[in-house]
Amino acid sequence: MKQISKIFGLFIGLLAPLSIGVVFAQSMAEMGVTNGWIRATPPNAKMGAAYLTMMNHQDQADTLIGPSSPLAEVVEIHNVKEENGMMKMYPVDFLEVPAKGMVMLKPGGYHIMLITLKQAPELGESHTLTLRFQQAADVIVELPVQQNGVPGTFPGLGYLWGPG
């Protein structure tokens, strides 16, 4: 009887991770995320940014309606555009991802702003970001902290948050 109990316990123990994998695979079938990273910031920075590519595998468009992360008190979708010869950054309420299409969040365009950082993202770390969609299941990703060019700058935009 003990032998059967041990085998049954092992069987149940193996099923739990498989069911988590199935849920993850289902959400990946709806919406995928690749090439994600968070920009390293100076130690006293109050803001940071995250970049990634979202791929919609659904037959209908979906909408990113709310990113969140334990790394920052406020997490928003932002865009950058030229206005009167100046580059300006502004928040957007949502971002549509076309059916069977993709949207790149990158420096100088759409990106995710991490506002009122709880800690400065440092090279070698990774942090969790949750993407909430209007239709697809939430996608939770672990993004590495990377440096692209000079710390604190976006290519073509100059300093964003200034030194220390």
Side-chain angles (χ1 to χ4, degrees):
M1 189 66 163
K2 279 187 172 183
Q3 186 84 10
I4 293 172
S5 257
K6 285 181 184 178
I7 292 172
F8 183 72
L10 180 61
F11 179 72
I12 295 299
L14 290 173
L15 280 181
L18 290 176
S19 65
I20 291 168
V22 170
V23 171
F24 181 73
Q26 180 182 0
S27 69
M28 289 304 288
E30 297 170 347
M31 193 66 66
V33 174
T34 61
N35 303 320
W37 60 286
I38 295 172
R39 183 180 298 282
T41 66
N44 298 332
K46 299 296 181 211
M47 291 190 282
Y51 311 97
L52 49 87
T53 300
M54 297 179 293
M55 297 167 297
N56 183 355
H57 301 291
Q58 302 173 99
D59 291 328
Q60 58 197 23
D62 203 345
T63 305
L64 175 65
I65 56 174
S68 62
S69 174
L71 183 59
E73 289 183 24
V74 177
V75 182
E76 298 177 341
I77 307 164
H78 280 222
N79 196 6
V80 176
K81 69 178 177 179
E82 185 177 343
E83 212 173 84
N84 300 323
M86 301 270 302
M87 297 302 285
K88 294 192 176 189
M89 182 174 60
Y90 60 97
V92 294
D93 293 329
F94 58 87
L95 182 58
E96 185 172 298
V97 185
K100 303 288 184 188
M102 68 180 205
V103 173
M104 292 178 63
L105 282 68
K106 60 185 179 180
Y110 285 105
H111 58 281
I112 295 174
M113 281 301 298
L114 304 164
I115 303 168
T116 313
L117 289 169
K118 295 177 182 177
Q119 72 179 68
E122 296 180 22
L123 291 174
E125 295 178 342
S126 62
H127 296 278
T128 303
L129 182 70
T130 300
L131 304 172
R132 173 153 293 138
F133 294 92
Q134 193 166 37
Q135 297 167 12
D138 290 0
V139 176
I140 301 170
V141 292
E142 189 76 16
L143 302 180
V145 177
Q146 298 179 354
Q147 186 170 325
N148 184 17
V150 178
T153 65
F154 285 109
L157 295 179
Y159 260 139
L160 179 64
W161 50 70

